[in-house]
Amino acid sequence: MTNRMKYCIANFKMNKNRIECKEYIDNLYENIHNDGYYGNGNKIRMIICPPFHSLDACQDKVTTDAGLYFGSQNVSQYENGSYTGEISASMLNHIGSEYVIIGHSERRAHFNESNDTINKKIKISIENCLLPIFCIGETRDQREENLIKKTLTKQLSIGLSGVNNSNFVIAYEPVWAIGTGQTATSEIITATHKMIRNILNDIGFDGKKISILYGGSVNRSNAKELIALSDVDGFLIGGASLDIEHFYEIYKFIEEST
Ligand code: PGA
């Protein structure tokens, strides 16, 4: 048994305006309070990652007893200065973000984020007290060509280069499973999470102490089965998180599993 923290993370991506985000958070907060869920004695964190425009709108609901936290979906690799359109780790921290998604496959694919850039973002986030939710995962071609271990090793070793603490969470998100409805099987997830823990050990971390989440078409129908897997420490949820009832149902499966 380990004491790894469990996570239920909503990634709204580029969805919901400020009013919709606020409504969602207010309802969620009310549900948590009515049901008496308070992070199960600090064993679970529910983290909502809205677009930047809504982080501060949610700030009044950040209370440690509710087990409800906020994260951003991206961060600049730079500290501050002439970088038009960017937002820094310290600015995010200032408006209530305690977590940050880094290395999501959509950022790697659409915004050409390299492993080196991701490494800079991870380091600057940790320095500014943001806990990175570091996304890794192989494409379908890489899986079919048997390049899974090579791909994950590269993403982890470059992404975590120079990081000398364990203040991060890993999200294993096979690219072929994101937004496709093709969830990875329990066998694939179990084998890959074990592989990730071994790679973490090989590059100087203690793999069994680091929370590893699964992401990729998680929904209310598969969450219960997946959270029962001993190496799965929670979920990063895109599409299904946009519907509050759907997301809350998944959260309850995690609560019940602890
Ligand atoms: P999905 O997205 O749940 O819609 O597959 C997951 C993610 O992109 O983090």
Side-chain angles (χ1 to χ4, degrees):
M1 255 331 256
T2 66
N3 298 321
R4 291 191 301 263
M5 179 73 81
K6 295 212 170 160
Y7 293 89
C8 187
I9 306 180
N11 175 9
F12 286 178
K13 308 192 180 185
M14 201 169 69
N15 293 295
K16 293 192 188 294
N17 65 31
R18 211 170 134 93
I19 294 167
E20 291 163 337
C21 285
K22 184 105 180 71
E23 259 170 29
Y24 185 104
I25 301 301
D26 287 347
N27 287 340
L28 197 55
Y29 189 76
E30 213 172 289
N31 277 335
I32 293 171
H33 271 263
N34 289 344
D35 291 347
Y37 287 135
Y38 298 103
N40 212 354
N42 210 15
K43 290 188 193 137
I44 305 180
R45 296 241 154 133
M46 183 194 277
I47 305 170
I48 310 300
C49 301
F52 291 134
H53 65 48
S54 289
L55 276 165
D56 68 325
C58 303
Q59 211 177 4
D60 61 319
K61 292 291 181 288
V62 180
T63 59
T64 44
D65 69 341
L68 179 58
Y69 297 80
F70 294 92
S72 38
Q73 301 171 18
N74 187 24
V75 62
S76 175
Q77 70 202 78
Y78 303 109
E79 190 77 54
N80 64 287
S82 305
Y83 299 103
T84 304
E86 291 287 278
I87 186 157
S88 75
S90 66
M91 290 170 188
L92 289 169
N93 193 295
H94 196 68
I95 55 167
S97 181
E98 291 184 64
Y99 294 83
V100 55
I101 298 172
I102 298 179
H104 193 283
S105 66
E106 287 156 14
R107 296 219 51 93
R108 292 177 191 262
H110 304 314
F111 302 96
N112 296 321
E113 278 193 16
S114 66
N115 288 318
D116 284 318
T117 303
I118 289 163
N119 174 245
K120 290 189 181 116
K121 292 185 174 198
I122 288 177
K123 285 195 287 200
I124 208 159
S125 295
I126 294 174
E127 278 162 25
N128 285 282
C129 302
L130 292 182
L131 197 130
I133 300 155
F134 175 23
C135 302
I136 57 170
E138 80 286 355
T139 60
R140 183 170 296 288
D141 284 352
Q142 287 164 333
R143 174 158 285 275
E144 282 166 4
E145 287 161 31
N146 214 6
L147 294 173
I148 305 163
K149 186 161 184 205
K150 191 169 172 203
T151 304
L152 299 180
T153 302
K154 194 167 172 194
Q155 290 175 342
L156 284 164
S157 57
I158 301 176
L160 294 172
S161 163
V163 174
N164 46 24
N165 58 46
S166 300
N167 295 339
F168 57 88
V169 173
I170 301 284
Y172 168 57
E173 297 207 302
V175 180
W176 46 271
I178 296 177
T180 59
Q182 294 178 0
T183 322
T185 61
S186 296
E187 291 73 24
I188 288 180
I189 298 172
T190 298
T192 316
H193 280 216
K194 279 196 186 356
M195 182 189 285
I196 292 167
R197 288 197 202 286
N198 288 336
I199 297 169
L200 287 168
N201 290 338
D202 291 345
I203 60 172
F205 297 92
D206 187 349
K208 68 178 177 312
K209 291 200 176 138
I210 294 168
S211 295
I212 304 181
L213 323 182
Y214 168 75
S217 300
V218 173
N219 58 46
R220 52 156 70 106
S221 314
N222 55 32
K224 192 171 181 179
E225 178 190 335
L226 299 181
I227 198 63
L229 304 172
S230 62
D231 266 309
V232 172
D233 302 312
F235 303 122
L236 178 53
I237 308 156
S241 74
L242 295 174
D243 179 293
I244 182 170
E245 279 172 25
H246 201 151
F247 178 68
Y248 193 55
E249 209 171 312
I250 298 171
Y251 174 70
K252 285 203 251 184
F253 287 132
I254 304 180
E255 276 268 354
E256 284 157 15
S257 76
T258 58

